[in-house]
Amino acid sequence: MTRSCAAVLACVLGTVYALAQAVPEVSAPPQSSPLPPIQVNVRLVNVFVTVTDTNGAPVPGLEKTDFALTEDGHPQKIAYFERDTEMPLSIVLAIDTSGSVHKDLDIEKTAAHHFVRALLRPVDQLDLIDFNSDVREVVPFTNNLHRIDNGLDNLSTGPATALYNAVYLASQSLANRHGRKVLVLISDGGNTVKGTDYAQALEEALRGEVMVYSIIDLPILADAGRDTAGEHAMITLSEQTGGKYYYAQEGDLEAIFQKVSEDLRTQYLLGYYPTRRIADGQFRAINVTLTKPPAQSSPYVVRNRTGYYAANQ
């Protein structure tokens, strides 16, 4: 290499080095941190609805378009509809075995035996409890008829009546069950044990989405010793939860159990996604009506739970 070429090459290399020193260092762009997921409460609210005529007979054959539903007065779109639902039943049969109803206990047992056999399918399960001074689970959830029969034949008795404790504990046991959740409550309505009060029992039933069917054991309607406040409490429990109440007189328990069975066999299921999706724990009122009600001379009665608590899931 000649001296002149070497000089040129040295000059070029020096220029490249100078440029490299002058160019600022560019670091790699920082990796963006992942955005937290956006959580939207899209809980499907299920509402079981029973429609009966003036005689109390279930009305079958209605369609999705026959129903309108509101939450807190705001119309909701019915996203899911099922007629004559075949969803599994989880039933708590709660029998008052206190002294005030002991005279009818044998009748109640016999009727309950028949009721269980007529109602339970392989997909259904029943939990049997008795309550007097305490609440006792006699048979946990099962569809084994032999175990249920044995439990009915071995109920305990006691002097007092823990009615609201029974409703509260039964609702708790049903809360995490799937499908339809039903409490069949047999009592005269008296509550003589301190602890859970009526408001707490009702709230727990609503939170657990439990339908309460009250059978008011009152063989003597004109009895001066009737606990009319307790009767009213049982009636309201049923009305608020979408169940039904019955007055049991001597000899008609079999017929009442048959009506309960028919009622549970002809329900409609409406499901909707609330337009207000704020899980603030507040109570949301639900109202279901018919879009094409029958003539005033033969109105239908629509029953469903009155609402739910929008709690975090």
PDB file of all heavy atoms in Angstrom, residues 18 20 65-66 69 80 82 85 91 103 107 118 127 164 183 197 199 218 225 239 256 260 263 267 278 306:
ATOM      1  N   ALA A  18     -15.286   9.314  14.607  1.00  0.00           N
ATOM      2  CA  ALA A  18     -15.832  10.555  15.151  1.00  0.00           C
ATOM      3  C   ALA A  18     -17.357  10.572  15.073  1.00  0.00           C
ATOM      4  O   ALA A  18     -18.046  11.012  16.000  1.00  0.00           O
ATOM      5  CB  ALA A  18     -15.240  11.757  14.393  1.00  0.00           C
ATOM      6  N   ALA A  20     -19.313   7.969  15.035  1.00  0.00           N
ATOM      7  CA  ALA A  20     -19.830   7.002  16.004  1.00  0.00           C
ATOM      8  C   ALA A  20     -19.859   7.585  17.394  1.00  0.00           C
ATOM      9  O   ALA A  20     -20.780   7.337  18.182  1.00  0.00           O
ATOM     10  CB  ALA A  20     -18.968   5.731  15.967  1.00  0.00           C
ATOM     11  N   THR A  65     -92.093 -14.273  24.773  1.00  0.00           N
ATOM     12  CA  THR A  65     -92.700 -12.977  24.454  1.00  0.00           C
ATOM     13  C   THR A  65     -93.897 -12.648  25.332  1.00  0.00           C
ATOM     14  O   THR A  65     -94.386 -11.517  25.299  1.00  0.00           O
ATOM     15  CB  THR A  65     -93.126 -12.940  22.982  1.00  0.00           C
ATOM     16  OG1 THR A  65     -93.995 -14.065  22.708  1.00  0.00           O
ATOM     17  CG2 THR A  65     -91.920 -13.003  22.055  1.00  0.00           C
ATOM     18  N   ASP A  66     -94.366 -13.611  26.113  1.00  0.00           N
ATOM     19  CA  ASP A  66     -95.496 -13.363  27.015  1.00  0.00           C
ATOM     20  C   ASP A  66     -95.067 -12.673  28.304  1.00  0.00           C
ATOM     21  O   ASP A  66     -95.914 -12.271  29.102  1.00  0.00           O
ATOM     22  CB  ASP A  66     -96.200 -14.681  27.359  1.00  0.00           C
ATOM     23  CG  ASP A  66     -96.899 -15.292  26.164  1.00  0.00           C
ATOM     24  OD1 ASP A  66     -97.522 -14.538  25.405  1.00  0.00           O
ATOM     25  OD2 ASP A  66     -96.816 -16.525  25.978  1.00  0.00           O
ATOM     26  N   LEU A  69     -89.966  -7.972  32.005  1.00  0.00           N
ATOM     27  CA  LEU A  69     -89.224  -7.993  33.264  1.00  0.00           C
ATOM     28  C   LEU A  69     -88.527  -6.653  33.461  1.00  0.00           C
ATOM     29  O   LEU A  69     -87.939  -6.095  32.528  1.00  0.00           O
ATOM     30  CB  LEU A  69     -88.210  -9.140  33.238  1.00  0.00           C
ATOM     31  CG  LEU A  69     -87.447  -9.477  34.520  1.00  0.00           C
ATOM     32  CD1 LEU A  69     -87.090 -10.964  34.541  1.00  0.00           C
ATOM     33  CD2 LEU A  69     -86.163  -8.656  34.629  1.00  0.00           C
ATOM     34  N   TYR A  80     -82.526 -15.438  28.346  1.00  0.00           N
ATOM     35  CA  TYR A  80     -82.672 -16.895  28.419  1.00  0.00           C
ATOM     36  C   TYR A  80     -84.087 -17.212  28.862  1.00  0.00           C
ATOM     37  O   TYR A  80     -84.631 -16.552  29.748  1.00  0.00           O
ATOM     38  CB  TYR A  80     -81.659 -17.490  29.405  1.00  0.00           C
ATOM     39  CG  TYR A  80     -81.725 -18.992  29.511  1.00  0.00           C
ATOM     40  CD1 TYR A  80     -81.084 -19.799  28.579  1.00  0.00           C
ATOM     41  CD2 TYR A  80     -82.445 -19.609  30.530  1.00  0.00           C
ATOM     42  CE1 TYR A  80     -81.152 -21.181  28.661  1.00  0.00           C
ATOM     43  CE2 TYR A  80     -82.516 -20.989  30.619  1.00  0.00           C
ATOM     44  CZ  TYR A  80     -81.869 -21.768  29.686  1.00  0.00           C
ATOM     45  OH  TYR A  80     -81.944 -23.131  29.758  1.00  0.00           O
ATOM     46  N   GLU A  82     -86.780 -20.688  29.554  1.00  0.00           N
ATOM     47  CA  GLU A  82     -87.041 -22.134  29.581  1.00  0.00           C
ATOM     48  C   GLU A  82     -88.421 -22.369  30.154  1.00  0.00           C
ATOM     49  O   GLU A  82     -88.785 -21.798  31.179  1.00  0.00           O
ATOM     50  CB  GLU A  82     -85.979 -22.849  30.418  1.00  0.00           C
ATOM     51  CG  GLU A  82     -86.148 -24.373  30.439  1.00  0.00           C
ATOM     52  CD  GLU A  82     -85.063 -25.048  31.266  1.00  0.00           C
ATOM     53  OE1 GLU A  82     -83.923 -24.539  31.292  1.00  0.00           O
ATOM     54  OE2 GLU A  82     -85.366 -26.070  31.904  1.00  0.00           O
ATOM     55  N   THR A  85     -89.367 -26.002  33.353  1.00  0.00           N
ATOM     56  CA  THR A  85     -87.945 -26.264  33.563  1.00  0.00           C
ATOM     57  C   THR A  85     -87.665 -27.658  34.114  1.00  0.00           C
ATOM     58  O   THR A  85     -88.370 -28.153  34.989  1.00  0.00           O
ATOM     59  CB  THR A  85     -87.342 -25.200  34.492  1.00  0.00           C
ATOM     60  OG1 THR A  85     -85.965 -25.519  34.723  1.00  0.00           O
ATOM     61  CG2 THR A  85     -88.061 -25.132  35.829  1.00  0.00           C
ATOM     62  N   ILE A  91     -83.962 -29.464  47.564  1.00  0.00           N
ATOM     63  CA  ILE A  91     -85.062 -29.169  48.483  1.00  0.00           C
ATOM     64  C   ILE A  91     -84.612 -29.398  49.916  1.00  0.00           C
ATOM     65  O   ILE A  91     -84.001 -30.427  50.237  1.00  0.00           O
ATOM     66  CB  ILE A  91     -86.276 -30.069  48.190  1.00  0.00           C
ATOM     67  CG1 ILE A  91     -86.726 -29.925  46.740  1.00  0.00           C
ATOM     68  CG2 ILE A  91     -87.435 -29.740  49.131  1.00  0.00           C
ATOM     69  CD1 ILE A  91     -87.791 -30.933  46.343  1.00  0.00           C
ATOM     70  N   LYS A 103     -99.048 -32.681  67.917  1.00  0.00           N
ATOM     71  CA  LYS A 103    -100.261 -33.481  67.694  1.00  0.00           C
ATOM     72  C   LYS A 103    -100.428 -33.898  66.231  1.00  0.00           C
ATOM     73  O   LYS A 103    -101.117 -34.871  65.921  1.00  0.00           O
ATOM     74  CB  LYS A 103    -101.493 -32.687  68.137  1.00  0.00           C
ATOM     75  CG  LYS A 103    -101.674 -31.374  67.398  1.00  0.00           C
ATOM     76  CD  LYS A 103    -102.797 -30.548  67.997  1.00  0.00           C
ATOM     77  CE  LYS A 103    -102.964 -29.214  67.286  1.00  0.00           C
ATOM     78  NZ  LYS A 103    -101.732 -28.398  67.289  1.00  0.00           N
ATOM     79  N   ILE A 107     -99.221 -37.227  61.044  1.00  0.00           N
ATOM     80  CA  ILE A 107     -99.838 -36.886  59.756  1.00  0.00           C
ATOM     81  C   ILE A 107     -98.802 -36.269  58.825  1.00  0.00           C
ATOM     82  O   ILE A 107     -98.743 -36.581  57.621  1.00  0.00           O
ATOM     83  CB  ILE A 107    -101.021 -35.918  59.966  1.00  0.00           C
ATOM     84  CG1 ILE A 107    -102.106 -36.579  60.808  1.00  0.00           C
ATOM     85  CG2 ILE A 107    -101.596 -35.452  58.628  1.00  0.00           C
ATOM     86  CD1 ILE A 107    -103.229 -35.631  61.203  1.00  0.00           C
ATOM     87  N   ALA A 118     -93.290 -38.823  45.229  1.00  0.00           N
ATOM     88  CA  ALA A 118     -93.942 -38.262  44.050  1.00  0.00           C
ATOM     89  C   ALA A 118     -93.071 -37.221  43.357  1.00  0.00           C
ATOM     90  O   ALA A 118     -93.166 -37.037  42.139  1.00  0.00           O
ATOM     91  CB  ALA A 118     -95.275 -37.635  44.451  1.00  0.00           C
ATOM     92  N   ASP A 127     -82.753 -32.494  51.482  1.00  0.00           N
ATOM     93  CA  ASP A 127     -82.125 -32.425  52.798  1.00  0.00           C
ATOM     94  C   ASP A 127     -83.251 -32.309  53.824  1.00  0.00           C
ATOM     95  O   ASP A 127     -84.144 -31.467  53.674  1.00  0.00           O
ATOM     96  CB  ASP A 127     -81.212 -31.189  52.851  1.00  0.00           C
ATOM     97  CG  ASP A 127     -80.546 -30.999  54.205  1.00  0.00           C
ATOM     98  OD1 ASP A 127     -81.220 -30.552  55.146  1.00  0.00           O
ATOM     99  OD2 ASP A 127     -79.338 -31.260  54.304  1.00  0.00           O
ATOM    100  N   TYR A 164     -87.006 -19.115  62.790  1.00  0.00           N
ATOM    101  CA  TYR A 164     -86.166 -18.266  61.947  1.00  0.00           C
ATOM    102  C   TYR A 164     -84.743 -18.806  61.827  1.00  0.00           C
ATOM    103  O   TYR A 164     -84.095 -18.650  60.787  1.00  0.00           O
ATOM    104  CB  TYR A 164     -86.155 -16.835  62.481  1.00  0.00           C
ATOM    105  CG  TYR A 164     -87.518 -16.188  62.482  1.00  0.00           C
ATOM    106  CD1 TYR A 164     -87.890 -15.280  63.473  1.00  0.00           C
ATOM    107  CD2 TYR A 164     -88.466 -16.504  61.502  1.00  0.00           C
ATOM    108  CE1 TYR A 164     -89.143 -14.693  63.484  1.00  0.00           C
ATOM    109  CE2 TYR A 164     -89.727 -15.929  61.509  1.00  0.00           C
ATOM    110  CZ  TYR A 164     -90.061 -15.022  62.503  1.00  0.00           C
ATOM    111  OH  TYR A 164     -91.313 -14.449  62.511  1.00  0.00           O
ATOM    112  N   LEU A 183     -87.206 -24.376  49.780  1.00  0.00           N
ATOM    113  CA  LEU A 183     -87.397 -24.704  51.201  1.00  0.00           C
ATOM    114  C   LEU A 183     -88.879 -24.965  51.433  1.00  0.00           C
ATOM    115  O   LEU A 183     -89.701 -24.067  51.224  1.00  0.00           O
ATOM    116  CB  LEU A 183     -86.912 -23.567  52.090  1.00  0.00           C
ATOM    117  CG  LEU A 183     -87.295 -23.628  53.575  1.00  0.00           C
ATOM    118  CD1 LEU A 183     -86.779 -24.908  54.226  1.00  0.00           C
ATOM    119  CD2 LEU A 183     -86.793 -22.393  54.322  1.00  0.00           C
ATOM    120  N   ASP A 197     -83.597 -13.243  63.609  1.00  0.00           N
ATOM    121  CA  ASP A 197     -84.936 -12.656  63.547  1.00  0.00           C
ATOM    122  C   ASP A 197     -85.511 -12.796  62.142  1.00  0.00           C
ATOM    123  O   ASP A 197     -84.854 -13.321  61.226  1.00  0.00           O
ATOM    124  CB  ASP A 197     -84.928 -11.190  63.997  1.00  0.00           C
ATOM    125  CG  ASP A 197     -84.048 -10.294  63.124  1.00  0.00           C
ATOM    126  OD1 ASP A 197     -83.764 -10.653  61.958  1.00  0.00           O
ATOM    127  OD2 ASP A 197     -83.630  -9.221  63.602  1.00  0.00           O
ATOM    128  N   ALA A 199     -86.191 -10.587  59.735  1.00  0.00           N
ATOM    129  CA  ALA A 199     -85.507  -9.854  58.669  1.00  0.00           C
ATOM    130  C   ALA A 199     -84.243 -10.584  58.220  1.00  0.00           C
ATOM    131  O   ALA A 199     -83.947 -10.658  57.014  1.00  0.00           O
ATOM    132  CB  ALA A 199     -85.164  -8.440  59.135  1.00  0.00           C
ATOM    133  N   LEU A 218    -102.233 -25.436  60.998  1.00  0.00           N
ATOM    134  CA  LEU A 218    -103.235 -24.783  61.840  1.00  0.00           C
ATOM    135  C   LEU A 218    -104.554 -25.540  61.737  1.00  0.00           C
ATOM    136  O   LEU A 218    -105.470 -25.133  61.025  1.00  0.00           O
ATOM    137  CB  LEU A 218    -103.429 -23.336  61.376  1.00  0.00           C
ATOM    138  CG  LEU A 218    -104.134 -22.398  62.348  1.00  0.00           C
ATOM    139  CD1 LEU A 218    -103.301 -22.180  63.589  1.00  0.00           C
ATOM    140  CD2 LEU A 218    -104.424 -21.073  61.666  1.00  0.00           C
ATOM    141  N   GLY A 225    -105.579 -19.034  70.484  1.00  0.00           N
ATOM    142  CA  GLY A 225    -104.150 -19.008  70.762  1.00  0.00           C
ATOM    143  C   GLY A 225    -103.277 -18.967  69.523  1.00  0.00           C
ATOM    144  O   GLY A 225    -102.066 -19.142  69.614  1.00  0.00           O
ATOM    145  N   GLU A 239     -94.169 -15.116  49.802  1.00  0.00           N
ATOM    146  CA  GLU A 239     -94.463 -14.108  48.781  1.00  0.00           C
ATOM    147  C   GLU A 239     -93.195 -13.405  48.302  1.00  0.00           C
ATOM    148  O   GLU A 239     -93.054 -13.117  47.110  1.00  0.00           O
ATOM    149  CB  GLU A 239     -95.456 -13.086  49.334  1.00  0.00           C
ATOM    150  CG  GLU A 239     -96.848 -13.657  49.567  1.00  0.00           C
ATOM    151  CD  GLU A 239     -97.800 -12.649  50.199  1.00  0.00           C
ATOM    152  OE1 GLU A 239     -97.313 -11.670  50.816  1.00  0.00           O
ATOM    153  OE2 GLU A 239     -99.017 -12.843  50.084  1.00  0.00           O
ATOM    154  N   ILE A 256    -102.020 -30.783  49.812  1.00  0.00           N
ATOM    155  CA  ILE A 256    -101.120 -29.633  49.772  1.00  0.00           C
ATOM    156  C   ILE A 256     -99.776 -30.023  49.174  1.00  0.00           C
ATOM    157  O   ILE A 256     -99.223 -29.318  48.316  1.00  0.00           O
ATOM    158  CB  ILE A 256    -100.940 -29.038  51.176  1.00  0.00           C
ATOM    159  CG1 ILE A 256    -102.219 -28.332  51.610  1.00  0.00           C
ATOM    160  CG2 ILE A 256     -99.766 -28.066  51.217  1.00  0.00           C
ATOM    161  CD1 ILE A 256    -102.203 -27.849  53.037  1.00  0.00           C
ATOM    162  N   VAL A 260     -97.814 -28.482  45.862  1.00  0.00           N
ATOM    163  CA  VAL A 260     -96.427 -28.027  45.830  1.00  0.00           C
ATOM    164  C   VAL A 260     -95.675 -28.727  44.704  1.00  0.00           C
ATOM    165  O   VAL A 260     -94.921 -28.105  43.940  1.00  0.00           O
ATOM    166  CB  VAL A 260     -95.731 -28.284  47.182  1.00  0.00           C
ATOM    167  CG1 VAL A 260     -94.232 -27.971  47.089  1.00  0.00           C
ATOM    168  CG2 VAL A 260     -96.369 -27.447  48.282  1.00  0.00           C
ATOM    169  N   ASP A 263     -96.683 -27.323  41.365  1.00  0.00           N
ATOM    170  CA  ASP A 263     -96.140 -25.979  41.221  1.00  0.00           C
ATOM    171  C   ASP A 263     -94.691 -26.026  40.747  1.00  0.00           C
ATOM    172  O   ASP A 263     -94.282 -25.269  39.858  1.00  0.00           O
ATOM    173  CB  ASP A 263     -96.235 -25.250  42.564  1.00  0.00           C
ATOM    174  CG  ASP A 263     -96.426 -23.756  42.418  1.00  0.00           C
ATOM    175  OD1 ASP A 263     -97.465 -23.356  41.867  1.00  0.00           O
ATOM    176  OD2 ASP A 263     -95.543 -22.997  42.827  1.00  0.00           O
ATOM    177  N   GLN A 267     -92.852 -24.490  36.200  1.00  0.00           N
ATOM    178  CA  GLN A 267     -92.262 -23.169  36.362  1.00  0.00           C
ATOM    179  C   GLN A 267     -91.600 -22.712  35.065  1.00  0.00           C
ATOM    180  O   GLN A 267     -91.255 -23.522  34.199  1.00  0.00           O
ATOM    181  CB  GLN A 267     -91.220 -23.177  37.488  1.00  0.00           C
ATOM    182  CG  GLN A 267     -91.825 -23.311  38.870  1.00  0.00           C
ATOM    183  CD  GLN A 267     -90.771 -23.259  39.957  1.00  0.00           C
ATOM    184  OE1 GLN A 267     -89.691 -23.800  39.817  1.00  0.00           O
ATOM    185  NE2 GLN A 267     -91.087 -22.596  41.057  1.00  0.00           N
ATOM    186  N   ILE A 278     -73.283  -2.906  38.489  1.00  0.00           N
ATOM    187  CA  ILE A 278     -72.481  -2.467  39.635  1.00  0.00           C
ATOM    188  C   ILE A 278     -72.737  -3.414  40.809  1.00  0.00           C
ATOM    189  O   ILE A 278     -73.862  -3.512  41.299  1.00  0.00           O
ATOM    190  CB  ILE A 278     -72.829  -1.026  40.035  1.00  0.00           C
ATOM    191  CG1 ILE A 278     -72.614  -0.075  38.846  1.00  0.00           C
ATOM    192  CG2 ILE A 278     -71.994  -0.585  41.226  1.00  0.00           C
ATOM    193  CD1 ILE A 278     -73.062   1.338  39.117  1.00  0.00           C
ATOM    194  N   THR A 306     -88.816 -11.303  44.729  1.00  0.00           N
ATOM    195  CA  THR A 306     -88.968  -9.862  44.575  1.00  0.00           C
ATOM    196  C   THR A 306     -87.667  -9.145  44.252  1.00  0.00           C
ATOM    197  O   THR A 306     -87.689  -7.959  43.920  1.00  0.00           O
ATOM    198  CB  THR A 306     -89.556  -9.252  45.861  1.00  0.00           C
ATOM    199  OG1 THR A 306     -88.721  -9.607  46.977  1.00  0.00           O
ATOM    200  CG2 THR A 306     -90.981  -9.757  46.094  1.00  0.00           C
TER     201      THR A 306
END
